[in-house]
Amino acid sequence: MTVTAPAPAAVAHFRFFALDVLRTRRLGHSFLRVTFGGPSLADFRSGGYDQSLSLFLPPPHREHTVLPSTDEETWFGAWRAMPEEERPVMRSYTVREQRRTEEGVDEIDIDFVLHGDGSPASFWAGRAVSGRRILAIGPAVAENKSVRFQPPAATDLILMYADETALPAAAAILDRLPAGARVRAWFEVPHEDDRIVLPTAADADITWIVRTEPGSGRTDQVLRVLRAAEAPHAQAPYAWIAGEAGTVRAVRRHVVQERCVDRRAVRFTGYWRLGTSEEQLLAEAYAGEAPSEEPDSAL
Ligand SMILES: Cc1cc2nc3c(=O)[nH]c(=O)nc-3n(C[C@H](O)[C@H](O)[C@H](O)COP(=O)(O)OP(=O)(O)OC[C@H]3O[C@@H](n4cnc5c(N)ncnc54)[C@H](O)[C@@H]3O)c2cc1C
């Protein structure tokens, strides 16, 4: 869930979970993996692939997240009515992995991009320590609408584009694809040390794009690489595109217009928008200013 106002009916397959920070680990240059546990995770049902969830992170002067209500019918109004300085921020993230350890402990990993202390989620992640508790709306059933990666059965080639915010989702997709699946992927990252190992059984040809262009120049850099690249011939390609909204739009256009992929076989999601916080995106969604072909998108 991102910029769409969460109506109770739309979250029937979701519920609140309390997530306790167990440990953190730095990955590459830009990522911090936060591993969460807690008794409520026994009922957490990640659908895998690009499963996302909504985190509620405490304001800087609070250690734990507190909400006046976690009731399906009333939480949203109660959360919005909180004084701004006390209101937890809501942010969308990806379940990189869910597992039960040999000791029977339920855990999930979330990989946060650390992009600066001026942004609440990045700030929180950079200071996450064991014992801190946050809240999340996450999946209570594995088949849910926050798994967006849904290639049709006949798919014979998967095209992928992700920037660093969507790399955890891309990694989780690759993790799960079977041997024989053909993948052509382009992953854009801010730093060469972010080219992390991506285990997969699939036949995956991955090109890393280490960003050199600031601001909107990033989109031109990505398009230059894509236009120069070959992709294998396919009868029924499926494209999964996620990352910064402006680049996502441009990559989608490239895939549909220049690579002639059927637009119905393209799943694209803006994970964030340059210069715009998630609060601003939410406000736009309420005002009806953010028309999007993808309901849960920052486009
Ligand atoms: C379905 C979905 C899944 C996602 N999964 C992940 C995930 O697994 N890991 C992850 O790190 N992010 C993920 N994101 C993206 C994340 O929600 C956004 O980056 C979010 O804006 C971060 O919140 P913030 O409080 O740090 O920044 P905000 O307060 O929302 O934004 C503040 C400023 O920072 C800019 N900004 C936001 N993100 C970045 C960034 N990464 N780099 C540079 N500038 C940025 C904004 O444009 C704005 O100007 C996901 C988004 C969606 C929709």
Side-chain angles (χ1 to χ4, degrees), residues 1-3 31 50-53 57 89 91-96 110-116 118-123 146 148 163-166 168-169 211 218 269-281 296-298:
M1 177 167 21
T2 56
V3 299
F31 298 96
D50 55 347
Q51 174 76 66
S52 62
L53 79 179
L57 302 168
V89 294
R91 293 288 184 270
S92 303
Y93 278 84
T94 301
V95 181
R96 173 63 186 87
I110 298 180
D111 293 347
F112 291 81
V113 175
L114 300 180
H115 65 94
S119 306
S122 180
F123 177 89
S146 294
R148 297 166 179 82
D163 75 4
E164 64 272 30
T165 63
R211 198 155 52 237
R218 54 196 293 150
T269 313
Y271 273 22
W272 62 288
R273 198 200 296 162
L274 208 55
T276 311
S277 72
E278 217 164 303
E279 277 75 33
Q280 291 166 314
L281 291 169
D296 287 348
S297 168

Side-chain angles (χ1 to χ4, degrees), residues 1 6 8 11 16 56 67-80 90 137:
M1 177 167 21
V11 295
F16 273 96
F56 293 82
L67 288 177
S69 163
T70 54
D71 175 84
E72 197 180 291
E73 304 285 331
T74 58
W75 75 266
F76 188 64
W79 170 69
R80 294 263 289 178
M90 179 168 66
I137 296 179

Side-chain angles (χ1 to χ4, degrees), residues 3 30 53 58 72 87 121 129 140 143 164 177 220 232 239-240 272 295:
V3 299
S30 307
L53 79 179
E72 197 180 291
R87 190 187 307 142
V129 289
E143 274 187 32
E164 64 272 30
L177 286 176
D220 297 335
W240 178 89
W272 62 288

Side-chain angles (χ1 to χ4, degrees), residues 283-295:
E284 281 182 15
Y286 276 112
E289 290 167 8
S292 162
E293 293 175 45
E294 283 286 284

Side-chain angles (χ1 to χ4, degrees), residues 13-14 17 41-53 94-99 107-109 138-144 146-147 172 176:
H13 289 169
F14 300 89
F17 294 88
L41 281 181
D43 298 322
F44 192 92
R45 299 279 181 273
S46 173
Y49 300 111
D50 55 347
Q51 174 76 66
S52 62
L53 79 179
T94 301
V95 181
R96 173 63 186 87
E97 187 177 294
Q98 176 181 9
R99 64 185 161 270
E107 296 183 348
I108 61 170
D109 292 330
V141 294
E143 274 187 32
N144 62 74
S146 294
V147 179
R176 201 153 163 161

